[in-house]
Amino acid sequence: RTDENHEIWTDHGRRPSPMPSPRAVAAAAISVCAYVLLFPIELVASLILVYKTRAHHPSLKTTALSVAYIRAELARGLLREDPVTEKLLTSLPWAPGAVSWLCAAYLILPIWKHLEELIPYILRVPTVMNRVRDLVYSRTRFIDQRLAAARGKQLVILGAGFDSRCYVSRYRAGRRCFEVDLASTQRAKREALVAAKVDTKHVQFVEVDFRNESWLSKLEEHGFDTSEPAIIIWEGVTPYLDREAVSATLGLVAQCAPGTELVLDYVSAATARGEVAPHMARIVQAMGEPFLCGFEDCQDVDGPIGSFAREHNMQVKAWAPFGVSGWVTGGVAALRAASLSTSD
């Protein structure tokens, strides 16, 4: 069995919500009124940003930027240490500076200062964006916790997108850092990092064609040591791959040193089929990134996800489900080689 069942906030009825303070309620009311006024301007800016992004980086995944905005909300709410993501979003060099700033302007609203109090109420508002927030908030908190507890001296962000953990000292913690992604995504991110004046000297950027190349072999070419333990973060990727591709990745992780930990998130099979929270499936389908892989029972770690891990000689060390509107829509888990001692 898993060593830990992390308790992360979700919307599927496991925890009653305390009443927010009057100050938080006032901040929420002011923010809603301000956002109504700001929305038309932000909408125009967002459309311009999408156009500019597609013109300069046509292969850049829309979800990479969308997730970055949500992570920036957590930083504004002081729920995670991340001074880099918002800086990246306001420094996108392929868009006019005013456009980048306006797209992120909603982050200055006072509601984010009270995010910890207001999360349960924000996510109960049935909007498409809030469904995505629930997923990203949950998995981000879990992954940050696992990274803080990990012993590995190497940090690998697999399918890095606009992840900022390699640039924040709390998460990097003196580790050797590797970001692995498609060449097109890395070009866009490196341009943004330069524009935001973020130090990248300690990061190895590994360009990989995941369909035709071994990401582990490419990592080794850039100095990754398979004889030393590592923590590998694989966030927001598995739902968009078929089961064979997910299995192949676990097989490569199993070739790394004992103590290596893989942290990944996943969706339920019902979510992937659009039977639960169908808006999520419709969104990713519209973005050209449909769900391809899901697991049948995300409430039971000894169920399909546990069986899948054991097939690859790995063990679920920690896990947490997440969901919306009374349904579990997925989960996030930390996997480690089954032969290791479970005392740590």
Side-chain angles (χ1 to χ4, degrees), residues 82-93 161-169 172 177 179 186 188-205:
D82 183 2
V84 175
T85 297
E86 187 173 340
K87 188 184 298 185
L88 285 178
L89 293 171
T90 55
S91 304
L92 300 175
F162 273 61
D163 190 291
S164 64
R165 292 180 177 95
C166 287
Y167 312 98
V168 180
S169 58
R172 186 171 76 240
C177 297
E179 291 198 355
Q186 290 211 333
K189 183 176 185 178
R190 295 181 77 171
E191 286 180 20
L193 287 165
V194 170
K197 299 180 180 178
V198 175
D199 183 13
T200 63
K201 293 192 296 292
H202 60 284
V203 179
Q204 289 291 323
F205 294 93

Side-chain angles (χ1 to χ4, degrees), residues 65-254:
L65 291 178
S66 300
V67 169
Y69 282 107
I70 296 174
R71 290 197 186 116
E73 294 170 6
L74 290 171
R76 278 281 180 169
L78 303 180
L79 296 183
R80 74 185 306 248
E81 182 182 337
D82 183 2
V84 175
T85 297
E86 187 173 340
K87 188 184 298 185
L88 285 178
L89 293 171
T90 55
S91 304
L92 300 175
W94 56 85
V99 168
S100 295
W101 186 88
L102 284 169
C103 287
Y106 80 100
L107 293 169
I108 68 175
L109 296 174
I111 192 172
W112 305 115
K113 293 181 180 179
H114 303 274
L115 182 58
E116 188 168 16
E117 286 184 76
L118 295 172
I119 279 179
Y121 300 93
I122 292 172
L123 298 188
R124 283 176 187 166
V125 179
T127 66
V128 168
M129 194 62 183
N130 280 344
R131 299 313 182 220
V132 180
R133 279 190 177 99
D134 175 77
L135 184 153
V136 176
Y137 284 177
S138 297
R139 76 188 190 197
T140 297
R141 180 177 177 182
F142 178 97
I143 292 170
D144 289 350
Q145 289 172 344
R146 293 307 299 178
L147 184 53
R151 298 180 179 180
K153 297 301 183 182
Q154 302 178 103
L155 170 60
V156 178
I157 313 293
L158 195 56
F162 273 61
D163 190 291
S164 64
R165 292 180 177 95
C166 287
Y167 312 98
V168 180
S169 58
R170 176 181 178 182
Y171 307 123
R172 186 171 76 240
R175 298 180 175 99
R176 284 179 287 147
C177 297
F178 303 83
E179 291 198 355
V180 184
D181 214 329
L182 299 170
S184 56
T185 302
Q186 290 211 333
R187 281 194 296 270
K189 183 176 185 178
R190 295 181 77 171
E191 286 180 20
L193 287 165
V194 170
K197 299 180 180 178
V198 175
D199 183 13
T200 63
K201 293 192 296 292
H202 60 284
V203 179
Q204 289 291 323
F205 294 93
V206 183
E207 297 180 358
V208 175
D209 178 354
F210 288 102
R211 295 182 183 277
N212 300 307
E213 297 178 304
S214 164
W215 57 265
L216 184 56
S217 296
K218 297 289 285 187
L219 265 177
E220 290 181 282
E221 291 175 11
H222 286 76
F224 180 78
D225 188 349
T226 54
S227 68
E228 291 188 11
I231 180 164
I232 302 174
I233 296 174
W234 200 24
E235 182 179 7
V237 179
T238 65
Y240 308 104
L241 304 177
D242 57 35
R243 185 66 68 95
E244 290 73 21
V246 177
S247 180
T249 294
L250 265 64
L252 290 176
V253 173

Side-chain angles (χ1 to χ4, degrees), residues 266-268 271 298 320-323 328-332:
Y266 50 92
V267 299
S268 69
T271 302
C298 292
F322 51 72
V328 173
T329 56
V332 58

Side-chain angles (χ1 to χ4, degrees), residues 19-101:
M19 289 296 296
S21 66
R23 184 172 294 182
V25 173
I30 292 170
S31 297
V32 169
C33 294
Y35 188 70
V36 169
L37 298 175
L38 176 67
F39 179 74
I41 301 173
E42 186 191 42
L43 178 61
V44 173
S46 297
L47 292 173
I48 294 173
L49 178 59
V50 169
Y51 172 78
K52 291 289 187 178
T53 301
R54 289 181 176 175
H56 288 79
H57 297 286
S59 299
L60 180 62
K61 301 290 187 182
T62 306
T63 51
L65 291 178
S66 300
V67 169
Y69 282 107
I70 296 174
R71 290 197 186 116
E73 294 170 6
L74 290 171
R76 278 281 180 169
L78 303 180
L79 296 183
R80 74 185 306 248
E81 182 182 337
D82 183 2
V84 175
T85 297
E86 187 173 340
K87 188 184 298 185
L88 285 178
L89 293 171
T90 55
S91 304
L92 300 175
W94 56 85
V99 168
S100 295
W101 186 88

